[in-house]
Amino acid sequence: MAGKGVGLTKRGGVWWLEKLIDGRRVRESTGTGDLAEAKRYLAFRLNEIRRVTIYGERPLRSFEQAAARYLRENADKRSLDRDDQALRLAMPHLGHQELGDIHYGKLQTFADARLANGVSKSTVNRDMAAVKQVLKAAARWFHENGQPWLTAVPEVPRYKLRCTATEERAITWDEQRRLSQALPAYLATMTLFAVNTGARRGEVLELRWGWEVQNHSAFLIPPQFHKTGASIGSRLLVCNSVAWAVIEEARGRHAEFVFTHHSKPVRTFYGRAWKQARSHAGLSRVRVHDLRHTFATRLEAAGVSRSDVAEMLGHATSSVTRRYIAPDISRLLHEAEKVVAMRHEPVLRIVG
């Protein structure tokens, strides 16, 4: 290979520096697939390492260099695209700055510029979180002479967000129909399941075939996959006939996950497609969580006891870990089926 003799090895389309320099093994990515550029990087690093080790010079690193290394080393991070976007926006303000010269005031200048562009405080907080990740990583990296890239991580601006409680609401049968018609088929199926089981958003996304309860239309969700796992242990999710029809339709499409799209597990429920569909249906304030509240409201309207409603919703009503037996499951399935019988009722009262 063209670069191998000079200490460069190509892996995955990128040239890596692998060389013994003045008794020190150096192994790092050059960040490029171009051999000429990789050789220039190699020459730069050779010169830099010798200046540091022989003459004791203190290496200087810019925020741009730190950001580039952070992105290289976290190439498999799921949210890397979001980090990359934030760091690109930070470059005009921080890119040329030496790491040790970055302080709260300079970070605040970047935050102020983002607010001036009309973005929300929560978006600025996400941008600043990416910047902080780079600075924290730089504090963990060391030069060849043992000095850290950054001696201390500066405080990063973060805005307090006002938490506004959104009132829960139950949707009517007509609203449910309009929403389902506006949604893509895979989301409409998940919506129908959620409104007939009271499953939380994460429970729907994570639902797996290995959790099925044998001989019953139900799933037993392990503690680590639902909100109240620490209090109740495994959570029983019962399925009335409508919800179970959804399950049967999905059976065989994926070896592990119940809800899929293009043969892959669905990872987002409350995303752009949902929000566009609810707007098209004239239901701009409806959230996925309202499907859960709708199920609870319909159960109570059908005369199901509050204790059974709490059981079906997986509320942490007791500190005792539950052990479900067949009669319990059968009773809850019978109660859940009452919602199916009232499908044509036009408007439901909202239960507080």
Side-chain angles (χ1 to χ4, degrees):
M1 190 172 291
K4 193 168 182 63
V6 296
L8 294 171
T9 303
K10 198 169 190 180
R11 297 206 314 271
V14 175
W15 287 101
W16 280 72
L17 192 165
E18 297 182 355
K19 194 174 182 68
L20 191 66
I21 305 174
D22 293 333
R24 185 181 299 273
R25 174 68 62 183
V26 178
R27 180 182 179 277
E28 60 189 60
S29 171
T30 68
T32 181
D34 180 77
L35 180 58
E37 186 177 346
K39 286 181 176 179
R40 287 193 293 272
Y41 179 84
L42 171 62
F44 166 78
R45 289 291 285 134
L46 284 171
N47 185 47
E48 181 182 56
I49 291 170
R50 284 167 179 158
R51 288 201 317 270
V52 170
T53 56
I54 297 174
Y55 303 109
E57 293 184 13
R58 179 181 179 272
L60 299 179
R61 288 287 183 270
S62 68
F63 181 81
E64 184 175 15
Q65 290 174 302
R69 177 171 174 176
Y70 171 82
L71 293 172
R72 287 198 305 268
E73 293 187 354
N74 292 275
D76 295 332
K77 185 180 178 183
R78 292 183 64 179
S79 60
L80 189 67
D81 288 344
R82 179 67 181 82
D83 289 350
D84 185 33
Q85 179 186 17
L87 295 174
R88 287 177 186 274
L89 291 167
M91 286 305 147
H93 305 273
L94 304 172
H96 64 285
Q97 299 284 339
E98 197 272 318
L99 288 170
D101 292 337
I102 295 175
H103 53 73
Y104 184 89
K106 292 180 178 179
L107 295 170
Q108 185 65 61
T109 300
F110 170 49
D112 290 343
R114 294 291 285 137
L115 288 175
N117 285 334
V119 302
S120 68
K121 289 182 178 180
S122 61
T123 297
V124 176
N125 283 348
R126 287 195 292 271
D127 291 342
M128 300 309 299
V131 170
K132 186 173 183 178
Q133 288 300 313
V134 171
L135 296 174
K136 288 173 65 176
R140 298 192 300 267
W141 298 331
F142 290 87
H143 297 292
E144 286 74 16
N145 62 358
Q147 295 182 14
W149 281 38
L150 180 64
T151 55
V153 179
E155 184 182 354
V156 175
R158 181 172 179 81
Y159 295 100
K160 291 185 177 180
L161 304 178
R162 185 172 60 185
C163 183
T164 56
T166 303
E167 183 180 357
E168 291 184 333
R169 58 161 297 194
I171 61 174
T172 66
W173 296 103
D174 180 64
E175 288 172 336
Q176 179 181 328
R177 176 187 57 78
R178 284 157 41 201
L179 179 61
S180 295
Q181 289 176 346
L183 286 167
Y186 76 100
L187 284 180
T189 299
M190 293 164 59
T191 296
L192 185 61
F193 180 82
V195 82
N196 277 279
T197 59
R200 296 181 177 90
R201 186 192 327 178
E203 293 169 349
V204 176
L205 293 173
E206 292 290 344
L207 198 64
R208 308 181 188 202
W209 295 112
W211 301 345
E212 273 191 272
V213 178
Q214 294 298 315
N215 303 317
H216 291 284
S217 302
F219 290 82
L220 202 57
I221 303 176
Q224 63 270 32
F225 290 99
H226 69 91
K227 184 177 180 180
T228 52
S231 301
I232 68 172
S234 295
R235 145 130 157 89
L236 181 69
L237 185 69
V238 297
C239 304
N240 60 29
S241 58
V242 174
W244 197 247
V246 170
I247 294 300
E248 292 296 347
E249 183 183 6
R251 195 178 297 281
R253 292 181 181 173
H254 194 274
E256 183 178 8
F257 289 88
V258 173
F259 294 106
T260 60
H261 183 49
H262 295 318
S263 302
K264 295 181 180 179
V266 180
R267 305 318 306 169
T268 303
F269 199 157
Y270 190 62
R272 181 179 299 176
W274 168 278
K275 293 173 183 178
Q276 289 177 342
R278 71 177 183 179
S279 179
H280 183 73
L283 302 169
S284 60
R285 299 187 65 181
V286 171
R287 306 160 303 156
V288 172
H289 186 76
D290 292 327
L291 304 176
R292 175 175 165 83
H293 186 64
T294 298
F295 180 63
T297 300
R298 291 176 179 177
L299 286 172
E300 293 202 11
V304 178
S305 70
R306 285 184 177 267
S307 61
D308 280 347
V309 172
E311 195 78 28
M312 281 187 269
L313 293 179
H315 285 167
T317 56
S318 171
S319 61
V320 179
T321 301
R322 296 178 182 141
R323 296 286 184 267
Y324 293 100
I325 59 176
D328 293 330
I329 300 174
S330 297
R331 187 192 79 255
L332 294 175
L333 284 169
H334 178 268
E335 296 299 282
E337 193 64 22
K338 291 180 179 179
V339 169
V340 180
M342 57 187 297
R343 270 186 295 181
H344 299 294
E345 185 173 325
V347 180
L348 293 171
R349 63 187 178 92
I350 297 179
V351 178

